[in-house]
Amino acid sequence: MKQTLVLLACACLALASCSRKEEGSRVDRLLAEMTLEEKIGQLNQYTGRWEMTGPAPENDYAQTGLEMIKSGQVGSLLNVTGAEATRNAQQLAVENSRLGIPLIFGYDVIHGFRTIFPIPLGETASWEPELARKNARIAALEATAAGVHWTFAPMVDIGRDARWGRVMEGSGEDPFLGARFAAARIKGFQGEDLADAGTIAACAKHYAAYGFAEAGRDYNTVEVDERTLFNVVLPPFKACVDAGVATFMNSFNEVNGIPATANSFLVRDLLKGKWAFDGFVVSDWNSVGELIPHGVAADRKEAARLAITAGSDMDMEGNCYIAHLKELVEEGTVDESLIDDAVRRVLEVKEKLGLFDDPYRYGSAELEEMLFLSDEHVAAARDAARRSIVLLKNEGGLLPLDAGGQRIALIGELAADKDSPLGNWRAQAVPGSAVSVLEGMQARVNTPSMLLYERGPQYLLARPSFLVNVEINTTDRNGMAEAVAAARRADVAVVVMGENGFQSGEGRSVTDLKPRGLQLELLEQVLEVNRNVVVVLMNGRPLDISSFIDRVPSVLVTWQGGSESGNAIADVLFGEYNPSGKLPVSWPRSAGQLPMYYNHKNTGRPTGSPGQVTWSSYTDQTREPLFPFGYGLSYTEFEYSGLTLDKNSMGIEDSIRLTVTLTNTGDRFGEEVVQLYVRDLVGTVTRPVKELKGFRKVGLEPGASAEVEFTLRAEDLHYYGADNRWGVEPGEFRVWVGPSSAGGAEASFVIE
Ligand code: GLC
C-alpha cells in the first residue's frame, strides 16, 4: 500500500512538473497569439478611482477605463481591494477581452493591510528581521483575502535625512540593516511559492536613491557618486533580487541627470543585466509622463520611448505606453522585441501567482471575515509595536510606572488619538481604529481615578488624508490651564507628543523637526509644575527634542505603532514589557545637522580643540547626534566583556570569529541588540568611520551571561573601490562590539 502511495506521489510530482513545463510554454504560446495592442495593454496600469495615491489623471477615464479593461488594454489595476471589487474587475477582463488574460491587482501593503503594524522605520527599530517577516506574512494573508496579488513593498530606500517624509517607510540609514529587513519582508510577502494562495508578489522600491533627494525635499534632484551608489544605496536592492523579489519599482527622481524611469544603466544594464533580475519593473505613479517635466522628453511619445528602452516594463497611471508604444513600434523607433520582453516578464509573474490557472483564486469574503484583525493578528501587532519602542532616557528609574499607587496625568491630543498610530500608508486600516495611549493605560491602571487625562490645546485643525496636508493649531491655548493643573496634582505626568499620522510619508518634507503647534509650550508649562515627566513620542521620523531632552527624566520613541499602539505603549510604561528597540537612524539635534548618518567619512579635519574653528564642525552646535544609530536603553543594564578574536589576521578568503560576553547586570529580564562594527583604516578611496557588519538580539535573565559570537568573513568587507570593482584591500581594520554605533569593546585585525 505504502509503495503505491509513494508511486502515486511521484506520478503527481512528475505530472505537476510536466504541467509546469507545459505552463512554461503557456507564456510563449500566449505571446505568439497576442496582437501588438494586446501586448501593450499588459504594460498599462490604471488606478481604481476608489483610492488615489497620486495626482488625479487629466482625462477622467473612469468610464473609458472600464471599456479598456474589457478590451484587454489594461494589464493591472492598483488601489482596487476587496473580494467583491477585485472579482468584479477581474470578470471585466477575463470574460470580455479576446484572450481573457487576468489582471494583476497591486496595492501599497506597506505595514499591514487591515491589521496595522508599526511603520517600517519603527518595525526596523526592533532589529528583528524575523519579526518583520512574520508581520509581512500576516499582511499578505489579509491582502490576498481581499483579492490583492501584489504589494508595492518593501520600500528599501536608504534614508539619511529626516526632513524627507518617507523615512517612515524605509529601514533607516544603514545598508546592512536595510538589506536584512528587505529580504525578510520579501520572504514574508512571497512565502516559499507565489502559487500558494496566501502569498503576494513583492516589489523592491524606489529604484534608486530616492532617499538622497537634495535638502530632504521629496522628488528633488539626486546627485550621488558611483561609490555611494554601490556601497550604500544599492545593497538593499541587490538583497531584494537575491531574495527573489518578483518586481521592482522606479523612483521619481533623477539620478545624476538621468531620471530613474529612463535610466538604462540602472535598469537595463545593472538590474536586468548584471543582476539578471527576471521579474518586471513598474514605473512609479506617472513617472513615465514625468520625464517631460524632468526635461528629458518633449512629449509622452518620447517619454514612452525612453522608458521602455531603459527597461521600465509597466506604465503606472502614465497613459504613455497605451497611447504611443504601438506607433513607436510601427514606425520602427522601438523594436517589438522590447515590448515582448516586457510583456513576458509581466505574464510570467501572473503565471507564478497562479492567475492563469484560476483568475479568481484570490479574494474571499469568508477569509476577510476570518482574518481581518483576528486575535492572532492583533496579538502579533501588539508584540511588534512593543518590540519597536526605543527607550532614549530613563533618569532615576522613573519608568516603569506603578499601575497601582501613582496618580498619573496623561496629557496631549495624541494620547487620545486613535488614528495617528496607524501612520501613513495605512492600506485598509479602519480610520480611528488604533488603540490609543489613553485606552491602553486605562486598561492597565488598577484604579481609574488615578489616571487623569487632559488634552491640552487642540492640535489638529482639520482631518488630514493621504493627499491632504495637516493643519495645526498654533494660537488657541484653550485647554492649556487644565492640562497644567492635572500635571500639578499628579505624581507623574505622561506627555504624548510628536506627529499626526499624516505628517510623515510621501510629500511630507519639512524644514524643521521640532514638534509643531503648541506641543513644546505645553510641555514647558508641565515641566514648571512637575519634574516627573515622561515624554512619549509618536512620530514618523526623528524629531528635534533638544529643547527639553536634558530636563525630562524619561523619553520613549514609539513611532506610529499600528493597531495595537496604545496597548504596546502601556505595556512598556507599566513594565509589562522591557523596551528593547534600538534606533535605525541617527537622532539629530536639529534639522541643520542633516543629512546625518553614523557611517560617514572621516574628512581631512575630523577633530579640533574647543574654540578652534578650522575643523569639520559647526560653530553653533556640536556635530554629534543627540542619540547615535543603534542606541536604545532597557529597564535593566547590560555589560560587555572579554571581546576576543580567534586570530588577528586573515587572508582575503578567510574569516575571523569574534566572541564577547554579555551580562545582564540588572534586576529584570531584558533583551540587548549586540552590534558589530568595522572600520577599514586605509583604502584606495576614503572609507566610513564605521560600518555595521553584524547584530544579534539576545535575551537574558537578571545576572545571566551569554557568549555572543560573530563570524566576520573577509568577503563581508568587500566594497566598491577606486577601480570600480568589488573587493577588499589588505590593511588594518578596527572592530567594535557594543550596544550602539558609539563606543563598544574595541579590537584590531589585519587583512593580508
Ligand atoms: C506613490 C508612491 C509609491 C506607491 C505608488 C502607488 O506615488 O511613490 O511608493 O507604491 O504611488 O500607490
Side-chain angles (χ1 to χ4, degrees):
M1 175 60 179
K2 188 177 174 193
Q3 194 177 12
T4 313
L5 284 175
V6 169
L7 287 173
L8 196 61
C10 291
C12 290
L13 274 175
L15 196 63
S17 67
C18 283
S19 69
R20 197 171 290 278
K21 270 199 212 72
E22 182 57 24
E23 278 171 6
S25 65
R26 170 157 59 184
V27 169
D28 294 335
R29 219 178 41 247
L30 199 48
L31 254 179
E33 280 184 74
M34 293 169 82
T35 64
L36 178 56
E37 290 84 342
E38 287 165 338
K39 291 176 186 174
I40 294 167
Q42 288 303 302
L43 309 182
N44 183 35
Q45 182 187 55
Y46 280 153
T47 184
R49 309 287 292 172
W50 299 262
E51 189 182 340
M52 302 290 282
T53 51
E58 291 138 26
N59 59 325
D60 185 345
Y61 56 82
Q63 194 45 45
T64 52
L66 299 180
E67 290 313 310
M68 291 172 76
I69 294 172
K70 288 159 76 172
S71 61
Q73 296 183 69
V74 180
S76 172
L77 286 174
L78 72 146
N79 295 330
V80 178
T81 61
E84 189 182 350
T86 51
R87 171 172 286 273
N88 295 341
Q90 191 66 286
Q91 263 172 330
L92 284 178
V94 169
E95 297 175 12
N96 292 281
S97 62
R98 184 176 75 93
L99 294 170
I101 298 174
L103 296 166
I104 179 171
F105 294 111
Y107 193 58
D108 294 283
V109 187
I110 308 295
H111 54 107
F113 183 80
R114 175 59 56 83
T115 307
I116 302 300
F117 295 95
I119 55 172
L121 187 62
E123 186 182 68
T124 307
S126 69
W127 288 57
E128 296 180 54
E130 178 55 16
L131 180 73
R133 184 195 66 76
K134 288 176 185 167
N135 296 343
R137 187 90 292 281
I138 289 173
L141 287 172
E142 293 191 359
T144 52
V148 174
H149 305 134
W150 172 30
T151 178
F152 304 127
M155 186 273 222
V156 302
D157 304 311
I158 293 292
R160 293 175 157 180
D161 193 326
R163 290 173 294 180
W164 187 53
R166 300 193 80 163
V167 286
M168 56 75 62
E169 202 178 337
S171 292
E173 69 193 45
D174 181 75
F176 184 91
L177 185 63
R180 277 143 191 80
F181 270 82
R185 289 173 175 137
I186 288 163
K187 293 295 181 197
F189 288 131
Q190 299 191 167
E192 292 310 313
D193 186 344
L194 279 181
D196 296 342
T199 62
I200 51 177
C203 180
K205 73 182 186 183
H206 304 80
Y207 189 62
Y210 185 19
F212 280 58
E214 278 181 4
R217 197 171 77 237
D218 212 341
Y219 319 114
N220 200 10
T221 304
V222 169
E223 298 287 347
V224 59
D225 70 281
E226 199 165 338
R227 265 182 287 284
T228 302
L229 195 60
F230 277 94
N231 291 324
V232 180
V233 172
L234 294 176
F237 286 103
K238 181 63 169 58
C240 291
V241 174
D242 296 344
V245 73
T247 69
F248 260 61
M249 182 186 289
N250 297 133
S251 58
F252 289 116
N253 54 284
E254 69 166 78
V255 182
N256 303 333
I258 301 175
T261 305
N263 199 306
S264 289
F265 164 69
L266 278 177
V267 188
R268 187 75 66 194
D269 301 346
L270 182 62
L271 177 62
K272 294 181 173 179
K274 190 171 173 56
W275 292 355
F277 172 65
D278 64 359
F280 72 84
V281 178
V282 63
S283 79
D284 202 340
W285 188 287
N286 189 33
S287 67
V288 177
E290 289 178 4
L291 296 177
I292 301 168
H294 268 299
V296 294
D299 51 33
R300 301 187 93 80
K301 178 179 175 182
E302 177 62 0
R305 182 188 70 78
L306 288 172
I308 195 74
T309 306
S312 297
D313 302 306
M314 186 180 279
D315 175 10
M316 177 194 289
E317 270 299 321
N319 277 306
C320 295
Y321 284 10
I322 198 71
H324 299 291
L325 279 186
K326 182 171 186 284
E327 182 190 351
L328 285 163
V329 170
E330 287 170 347
E331 72 185 27
T333 310
V334 168
D335 193 294
E336 189 163 356
S337 65
L338 289 187
I339 310 294
D340 290 348
D341 177 62
V343 176
R344 169 185 300 283
R345 290 168 180 268
V346 172
L347 295 179
E348 283 175 350
V349 172
K350 291 185 175 183
E351 175 161 72
K352 284 175 185 168
L353 285 163
L355 294 178
F356 287 116
D357 297 325
D358 175 4
Y360 304 106
R361 64 200 306 262
Y362 290 74
S364 152
E366 297 75 25
L367 273 179
E368 287 179 323
E369 180 63 32
M370 189 171 81
L371 292 174
F372 288 177
L373 291 167
S374 69
D375 292 348
E376 182 191 349
H377 292 182
V378 167
R382 182 169 183 163
D383 184 49
R386 301 193 316 186
R387 294 179 165 279
S388 304
I389 292 173
V390 179
L391 178 63
L392 291 183
K393 190 179 176 190
N394 190 28
E395 222 160 56
L398 182 59
L399 289 176
L401 302 177
D402 174 358
Q406 282 179 309
R407 271 192 310 276
I408 302 168
L410 177 63
I411 294 167
E413 184 172 298
L414 280 175
D417 188 335
K418 292 172 60 62
D419 193 70
S420 286
L422 301 170
N424 209 332
W425 292 116
R426 58 185 50 189
Q428 285 298 303
V430 174
S433 62
V435 176
S436 68
V437 178
L438 175 59
E439 289 166 331
M441 292 181 76
Q442 283 171 332
R444 306 284 321 208
V445 290
N446 300 353
T447 314
S449 61
M450 295 293 270
L451 175 64
L452 190 56
Y453 170 65
E454 284 293 344
R455 184 199 70 183
Q458 183 182 359
Y459 183 61
L460 266 191
L461 289 177
R463 176 156 300 290
S465 68
F466 178 81
L467 288 175
V468 175
N469 207 349
V470 293
E471 288 175 58
I472 293 165
N473 168 39
T474 57
T475 54
D476 176 358
R477 286 172 172 74
N478 279 322
M480 188 81 82
E482 290 81 349
V484 173
R488 182 182 285 111
R489 294 198 302 274
D491 299 315
V492 60
V494 176
V495 180
V496 181
M497 62 196 298
E499 291 184 306
N500 171 273
F502 287 106
Q503 277 184 256
S504 52
E506 183 173 355
R508 267 43 177 200
S509 297
V510 293
T511 59
D512 188 339
L513 296 175
K514 293 190 191 69
R516 292 178 55 192
L518 299 171
Q519 298 185 99
L520 288 175
E521 185 178 322
L522 172 59
L523 177 62
E524 288 302 331
Q525 294 207 22
V526 166
L527 281 167
E528 281 177 15
V529 299
N530 194 328
R531 284 289 165 207
N532 293 332
V533 174
V534 177
V535 165
V536 172
L537 292 175
M538 196 175 281
N539 53 305
R541 61 175 116 213
L543 295 174
D544 178 347
I545 60 175
S546 49
S547 68
F548 62 80
I549 187 63
D550 295 335
R551 295 176 291 128
V552 169
S554 300
V555 178
L556 281 175
V557 179
T558 71
W559 313 104
Q560 278 124 10
S563 302
E564 281 291 291
S565 166
N567 283 330
I569 293 170
D571 288 344
V572 170
L573 285 172
F574 290 107
E576 184 71 25
Y577 180 76
N578 182 1
S580 62
K582 299 278 187 176
L583 293 177
V585 285
S586 304
W587 194 282
R589 295 168 189 270
S590 68
Q593 291 182 308
L594 299 173
M596 170 177 269
Y597 46 100
Y598 85 94
N599 45 359
H600 58 77
K601 303 300 185 62
N602 203 34
T603 78
R605 296 197 173 184
T607 57
S609 53
Q612 193 193 21
V613 292
T614 52
W615 62 291
S616 185
S617 65
Y618 302 100
T619 55
D620 59 351
Q621 189 172 60
T622 170
R623 58 179 269 186
E624 296 307 315
L626 188 61
F627 295 99
F629 172 83
Y631 179 89
L633 298 178
S634 168
Y635 291 152
T636 189
E637 286 78 38
F638 292 99
E639 191 177 273
Y640 288 72
S641 59
L643 174 60
T644 53
L645 285 61
D646 67 345
K647 47 179 171 286
N648 287 319
S649 66
M650 65 170 156
I652 58 172
E653 303 294 332
D654 202 346
S655 62
I656 287 179
R657 202 166 61 249
L658 302 98
T659 310
V660 73
T661 302
L662 179 74
T663 302
N664 178 346
T665 55
D667 58 5
R668 56 181 298 149
F669 174 82
E671 295 157 288
E672 169 73 333
V673 180
V674 180
Q675 301 158 49
L676 167 70
Y677 294 89
V678 174
R679 180 180 182 180
D680 179 353
L681 292 182
V682 178
T684 48
V685 295
T686 56
R687 308 288 292 118
V689 295
K690 274 190 181 180
E691 293 179 279
L692 180 70
K693 292 297 179 186
F695 60 91
R696 188 128 348 111
K697 196 165 199 176
V698 180
L700 287 176
E701 292 298 338
S705 293
E707 294 289 312
V708 182
E709 188 177 294
F710 294 100
T711 297
L712 183 66
R713 303 168 304 164
E715 184 184 338
D716 299 327
L717 304 173
H718 282 200
Y719 74 100
Y720 193 80
D723 47 5
N724 289 353
R725 63 176 185 78
W726 284 95
V728 63
E729 295 151 337
E732 188 181 350
F733 289 75
R734 288 270 191 288
V735 60
W736 294 264
V737 178
S740 80
S741 60
E746 183 175 345
S748 300
F749 64 88
V750 171
I751 287 192
E752 292 146 350

